[in-house]
Amino acid sequence: MPLEQITLDNLTWAEMVTSIRRRIPAASAGEWTLHAPVDPGVTLLELFAYLLEQRVYWLDQIPDSLVHAALGLMGETVRAATPASTVLQLSPRPVGAMPGSFEKLSALTEVRLARSVPPLVFSTDEDVLLLPCVEVAPATGSPSKTPLIRYRVGLHTGGSDRTIDLMHERRICLLPAVANATDVKIVLWLHQELSSAPANVFGGFFSLLLDLVVPEKIPPQWSSSAVADVQPPAKLTWWYPSNVSARLKQLPADAVQDGTGGLRRSGIVRLKLPSDWQHELDPSLPGPWPYSLILRIEEGTFTSPPVVRRIVPNVAIARHRRQTKIHTIKADWLPLPENKLALSELDTAALQDYPPLDDSIELSMSERDGEFDWKPTQTFTFRGPDERVFAVDREKGLLRFGNGVTGRVPVVKKDQDPNITLRYFVGGGEAGNIGSDLRFEGVAGADLEARNIVPAEGGTETESLDSARRRAASALRRVDRAITREDYVNAVINTPGVAFKRAYAALGHHPAHPCQVVPGAVTVYVVPEAPREEGPEYDQDCAYVAAPKPDQGALQEARERIAKARLIGSEVFVAAAEYRRVSLAVAARGDPADPAALSEKIRIGLQNFLDPLRGGNQKNGWPFGEPLRPSVLLSEAQRAAGQDASITSVSIGLDCKPISENCKDVEIKPHQLVVLHDVVVNLQPEVATQGGLR
């Protein structure tokens, strides 16, 4: 049971004074006879009691410095404010205008949410080259509605033209279900030929958003929780038809920036615009002109084929932040502790340069002994007297400097004007968390406007110290070491950046010694998440993978994570789950109207029941090591058949062996799962009932 909380501040001033007065006769040997408040000695005792009460009160409090120190010992800090992030789709203004030429936007281009008070400003992460590929389609319904902006993007995969499906945002598999390599053709329709483009646009990066259907555990590229440097599940190369070599030409590695991580997550692919890119239209014909890109997928180890929902050009990641101008300040500080600089009082433009993003502040100060950079810090607790740091109060827009004991006291060069140079980002916080398809305007330096095609998410305010303390307290209960079987499973399933659904820790299993129990060895068998959706918006030929297996990049991430959590001296391995192929023969009796449909219902019912992700009695996946029981399978087959037939027996065959067992349970190893390979339904008609006496 938890210990009771200790309270130190439980003695009042009156109780102290009463206790002290009682001790006066003994302590003074009877010489102090006047104990009334008029006695100067009693007055002094009351004063000391007052001071002692304050000390006891302080003793019962936990100062902020102690909280920061405790957080530091646990490897935690107060989380700074973060800006929300989104993806902007850029188009000419006014809406409906045809693009006349190429546009180049630099990094940190600012856009403002239309009709927002106070102004909500986002800025782009990277420079982007906008291609003239906008097509205007009339809005449905009232003709007064704003026209819809549609990007003319063609898609060809699997030998089929899927452009119409892409336009209606149907889920399209980029790779055949049983293949590990293919070519995907993406066509961009431009209203201007590249031959007439200015020379300075070539070599610039244009962008394509690949909006993929992935598990929720894998955040998109623009999310603050996205994990970088995960080994891609396939080798991707980009090719284009060249007017020089009259054949496909590969874009070099430094001309491709793949934000999808090899089609693992939704992201933006940035490609350098080649000067020899040839369109596929007769030069004598008018535009628009189709320019093709070939995405070549090789050595694919996907759990399931990558599914694309949208391909959008002319996009940029933007965050709820704005870089201020360079502020120059003439500070006339005395070399005293705890100097302050108020950002809200700086000479600003129409938009106030606060609240600041804590970790973005760049401050340079001219001091007596030279020019030095100062760095932001959350607390002075661990700072020495010579460290040039300052603490940021985001809410008040203040920079606080040290006292000479924790943090250096700034000694500015007074005869220099200015002696402080300051620049930082403002924004962040929950105000930037907004929905999608909102209009932005005021694109700096270009006659453009933008819409965010995904919601802006991830904006948070600076964490309070009390919240950080509670979070650190909960972190003490978090299991970071793998000791028990459950610890191994949780450590692998919660690997960031990948999506694992289930796992089983086989204690004593060593891949090099499969037939022996090896002390200290653990092999964790994992089952990744895989799509199980059904509907007209999915490619049903590749949306279902019966035996999902993780790709090598996901396994490597899990191995690196478990290597940090394992105990010294133990050997931990992470491998894909082992599947046993099951063949079933179902004997049924009945007279259904459609025997083929009945067989399909039974097959689907048994397949779902044995499914590693949604099978079993609990519908959370067939249990690891669960034996195949003919009676249970018969009951499930009868449930699938309903009233159309009566199931008389179910026979089982394992690993392509003859289907013969219909009485005893068929055992599998504790770390194995099953996958349905084949179902044969033997349907016998009902015997006609004969009437009369016999």
Side-chain angles (χ1 to χ4, degrees):
M1 60 180 297
L3 298 176
E4 294 184 3
Q5 184 175 358
I6 299 176
T7 303
L8 302 178
D9 185 20
N10 57 3
L11 189 60
T12 65
W13 176 85
E15 292 172 342
M16 290 184 191
V17 172
T18 301
S19 178
I20 291 172
R21 284 179 177 176
R22 289 174 180 170
R23 298 181 62 181
I24 290 177
S28 65
E31 295 183 4
W32 190 346
T33 57
L34 181 59
H35 305 156
V38 297
D39 188 280
V42 173
T43 302
L44 290 175
L45 291 177
E46 291 177 345
L47 175 61
F48 291 142
Y50 165 77
L51 295 175
L52 179 59
E53 184 190 29
Q54 298 303 311
R55 297 286 181 177
V56 173
Y57 170 77
W58 294 341
L59 186 66
D60 204 31
Q61 303 302 306
I62 301 177
D64 291 351
S65 59
L66 179 59
V67 176
H68 281 290
L71 290 174
L73 290 176
M74 292 185 289
E76 300 283 352
T77 58
V78 175
R79 292 174 177 171
T82 57
S85 57
T86 185
V87 176
L88 295 179
Q89 166 187 322
L90 298 151
S91 59
R93 191 177 57 176
V95 175
M98 275 302 191
S101 61
F102 296 81
E103 295 276 1
K104 292 184 71 174
L105 290 184
S106 60
L108 301 181
T109 296
E110 297 176 9
V111 296
R112 183 177 65 254
L113 182 65
R115 300 186 300 276
S116 60
V117 179
L120 199 62
V121 179
F122 283 64
S123 60
T124 58
D125 277 2
E126 298 174 306
D127 60 290
V128 61
L129 172 65
L130 305 182
L131 302 178
C133 57
V134 178
E135 178 189 20
V136 181
T140 58
S142 173
S144 62
K145 288 186 177 181
T146 303
L148 299 176
I149 294 296
R150 286 185 179 174
Y151 285 84
R152 295 197 66 176
V153 179
L155 178 65
H156 301 257
T157 181
S160 303
D161 185 352
R162 307 300 301 273
T163 303
I164 300 300
D165 293 329
L166 187 67
M167 181 183 300
H168 290 87
E169 296 188 6
R170 296 191 180 101
R171 278 61 166 166
I172 303 170
C173 290
L174 297 180
L175 193 70
V178 295
N180 61 1
T182 193
D183 283 353
V184 177
K185 181 180 179 181
I186 301 173
V187 181
L188 302 179
W189 292 82
L190 305 187
H191 291 279
Q192 181 179 347
E193 288 187 276
L194 290 180
S195 58
S196 62
N200 62 346
V201 304
F202 296 109
F205 282 92
F206 67 95
S207 58
L208 292 172
L209 167 67
L210 298 185
D211 188 4
L212 304 177
V213 180
V214 297
E216 293 183 0
K217 284 187 176 182
I218 304 180
Q221 174 196 6
W222 53 87
S223 172
S224 58
S225 56
V227 179
D229 302 326
V230 179
Q231 180 181 333
K235 177 184 176 182
L236 304 184
T237 54
W238 291 83
W239 303 71
Y240 66 96
S242 171
N243 58 17
V244 175
S245 59
R247 58 183 176 84
L248 291 180
K249 187 175 180 180
Q250 181 181 352
L251 282 170
D254 60 354
V256 179
Q257 297 176 2
D258 182 13
T260 68
L263 300 180
R264 182 184 298 279
R265 64 186 182 186
S266 296
I268 293 178
V269 177
R270 289 163 46 85
L271 307 170
K272 278 188 178 180
L273 183 66
S275 59
D276 59 337
W277 194 3
Q278 177 64 42
H279 62 73
E280 301 178 357
L281 195 65
D282 189 329
S284 62
L285 297 178
W289 293 271
Y291 285 84
S292 299
L293 288 167
I294 305 299
L295 169 59
R296 184 158 294 169
I297 306 174
E298 301 174 296
E299 303 172 10
T301 59
F302 299 100
T303 296
S304 59
V307 177
V308 67
R309 178 168 39 204
R310 289 183 294 178
I311 300 179
V312 185
N314 294 348
V315 292
I317 296 175
R319 304 186 191 276
H320 176 216
R321 61 178 184 175
R322 176 179 62 85
Q323 190 174 44
T324 68
K325 68 177 185 179
I326 299 178
H327 293 285
T328 55
I329 305 164
K330 175 63 168 65
D332 192 20
W333 293 337
L334 294 174
L336 298 176
E338 299 181 355
N339 279 305
K340 300 176 184 177
L341 177 60
L343 302 178
S344 58
E345 298 176 3
L346 298 177
D347 179 23
T348 62
L351 296 174
Q352 292 292 320
D353 285 351
Y354 68 93
L357 287 170
D358 309 19
D359 54 358
S360 70
I361 299 178
E362 300 174 359
L363 187 147
S364 178
M365 187 181 300
S366 296
E367 304 179 54
R368 292 177 182 175
D369 50 349
E371 185 89 9
F372 297 97
D373 293 332
W374 289 62
K375 302 297 182 183
T377 184
Q378 291 183 341
T379 176
F380 295 111
T381 303
F382 297 105
R383 299 299 183 176
D386 293 327
E387 293 191 61
R388 291 181 169 86
V389 293
F390 56 88
V392 182
D393 189 330
R394 170 177 164 85
E395 183 177 354
K396 297 181 179 179
L398 287 177
L399 306 186
R400 306 178 188 273
F401 295 86
N403 57 13
V405 178
T406 55
R408 185 184 180 93
V409 173
V411 182
V412 297
K413 194 174 183 179
K414 293 186 179 181
D415 58 351
Q416 182 171 332
D417 186 10
N419 51 20
I420 295 179
T421 303
L422 183 66
R423 193 172 194 180
Y424 51 95
F425 282 95
V426 298
E430 297 180 355
N433 297 330
I434 56 178
S436 61
D437 199 29
L438 300 177
R439 185 169 63 89
F440 288 76
E441 58 188 7
V443 182
D447 191 20
L448 299 168
E449 73 172 28
R451 287 185 180 273
N452 63 323
I453 54 180
V454 299
E457 299 174 336
T460 60
E461 293 292 346
T462 303
E463 187 180 28
S464 67
L465 193 58
D466 186 55
S467 175
R469 182 169 59 181
R470 292 195 302 270
R471 177 172 55 81
S474 64
L476 293 176
R477 298 188 293 270
R478 186 175 61 235
V479 178
D480 294 324
R481 291 293 178 186
I483 301 175
T484 66
R485 172 176 284 161
E486 183 179 354
D487 296 340
Y488 287 107
V489 170
N490 291 335
V492 170
I493 288 181
N494 296 322
T495 303
V498 295
F500 294 137
K501 184 69 173 180
R502 302 175 59 202
Y504 177 83
L507 307 181
H509 282 228
H510 194 294
H513 307 281
C515 299
Q516 298 179 352
V517 176
V518 180
V522 180
T523 301
V524 183
Y525 295 92
V526 294
V527 180
E529 292 193 19
R532 289 296 185 265
E533 296 89 349
E534 297 179 359
E537 68 274 19
Y538 286 92
D539 278 351
Q540 296 304 314
D541 58 339
C542 69
Y544 180 85
V545 178
K549 293 187 177 182
D551 62 87
Q552 291 302 313
L555 290 176
Q556 183 61 30
E557 284 293 305
R559 288 164 184 157
E560 293 177 2
R561 177 179 174 85
I562 202 68
K564 299 176 182 178
R566 69 178 180 87
L567 296 179
I568 296 177
S570 63
E571 291 184 281
V572 185
F573 307 91
V574 182
E578 293 184 9
Y579 293 93
R580 304 290 297 274
R581 301 177 70 179
V582 177
S583 298
L584 300 177
V586 179
R589 187 179 296 276
D591 297 304
D594 189 346
L598 174 64
S599 299
E600 183 65 12
K601 285 172 55 178
I602 294 174
R603 185 193 67 80
I604 293 177
L606 292 173
Q607 179 176 270
N608 292 338
F609 186 64
L610 299 175
D611 189 89
L613 297 178
R614 60 180 180 183
N617 293 323
Q618 304 300 323
K619 305 301 181 184
N620 54 6
W622 185 261
F624 278 95
E626 181 76 6
L628 297 166
R629 297 181 171 89
S631 58
V632 174
L633 295 176
L634 185 148
S635 175
E636 194 62 30
Q638 185 63 66
R639 183 180 293 109
Q643 301 297 323
D644 293 338
S646 176
I647 308 301
T648 57
S649 69
V650 174
S651 302
I652 304 171
L654 204 59
D655 298 331
C656 299
K657 294 180 181 178
I659 303 174
S660 57
E661 186 57 63
N662 58 8
C663 295
K664 298 180 181 179
D665 295 349
V666 177
E667 302 286 343
I668 61 175
K669 293 182 179 180
H671 63 277
Q672 292 178 337
L673 295 170
V674 295
V675 58
L676 187 61
H677 174 60
D678 187 27
V679 176
V680 178
V681 178
N682 297 316
L683 184 62
Q684 297 294 330
E686 289 281 5
V687 178
T689 303
Q690 297 180 0
L693 299 176
R694 298 186 182 178

